[in-house]
Amino acid sequence: MSEKKIHEDQKYIDGLLKNNAFIIQSIYDKFASKVVNYIKQNSGSADEAQDVIQETLIAIYNQASQKKLQLTCPFDAYFFLLCKRKWLNELKKSSNKEVTINEEVLSKNDEAQELAFETSVFSEKQALFSEMFNKLGKACKDLLTATFKIKSMEEVAKSLGVTYAYARKKKSLCIGKLTKMVQGSPKFNQLNN
């Protein structure tokens, strides 16, 4: 398989990662109006469009920081497809609004479609993990949160006032429980198909 070439628009991803105000503002200046117009044409408001834009930028940031996102297509196509998917998901949830899809606005860029799909799935997996994590008991949440922040199990045990052996055993049990909850969710099967 050949190596895909990184697109020059990678600067937008890098700017988001560095929280570069100039880059973030240029994303809004160059790309937001297309999203706002699309959402307004499809049963939405300007405020809802701004929410979609913000959520999409967060999803891109999360994937870039955790999965080292490499942009291989124009940012415009990628960003628009992500926003469009997020909006269509919102409409589907509320299901009482009629959806009109203006096909001429859509990009025919396969790489943008592929990247947008990967980012959407990544974002949905994160949401599923968070949902199941929040269903854990307080002791498990406290222990796992501590292990996310502190890498040393000795320090985790000390900070929670428990023995090292107990902390390791409890962590294993909590991760097992969380894994079972995630895998038992109907959303898990949808995301893996």
Side-chain angles (χ1 to χ4, degrees), residues 37-55:
N37 288 335
Y38 175 80
I39 290 175
K40 285 168 72 177
Q41 289 173 359
N42 290 283
S43 307
S45 69
D47 287 343
E48 289 170 317
Q50 291 303 323
D51 289 345
V52 166
I53 289 167
Q54 193 165 18
E55 289 170 18

Side-chain angles (χ1 to χ4, degrees), residues 69-132:
L69 174 65
Q70 299 288 301
L71 196 63
T72 55
C73 63
F75 183 82
D76 181 30
Y78 170 66
F79 180 69
F80 181 75
L81 282 170
L82 277 175
C83 289
K84 176 182 175 263
R85 281 177 182 220
K86 191 167 281 298
W87 179 244
L88 292 176
N89 284 339
E90 289 297 318
L91 288 177
K92 199 183 298 181
K93 282 181 197 170
S94 63
S95 74
N96 60 351
K97 296 181 180 175
E98 188 175 315
V99 181
T100 310
I101 299 174
N102 181 356
E103 288 299 330
E104 66 195 47
V105 178
L106 298 179
S107 166
K108 303 294 183 222
N109 188 321
D110 288 342
E111 289 184 13
Q113 296 259 7
E114 189 178 318
L115 278 173
F117 178 74
E118 288 173 15
T119 301
S120 293
V121 169
F122 178 79
S123 186
E124 289 173 30
K125 283 181 177 179
Q126 275 193 314
L128 176 59
F129 174 84
S130 293
E131 179 186 336
M132 294 304 145

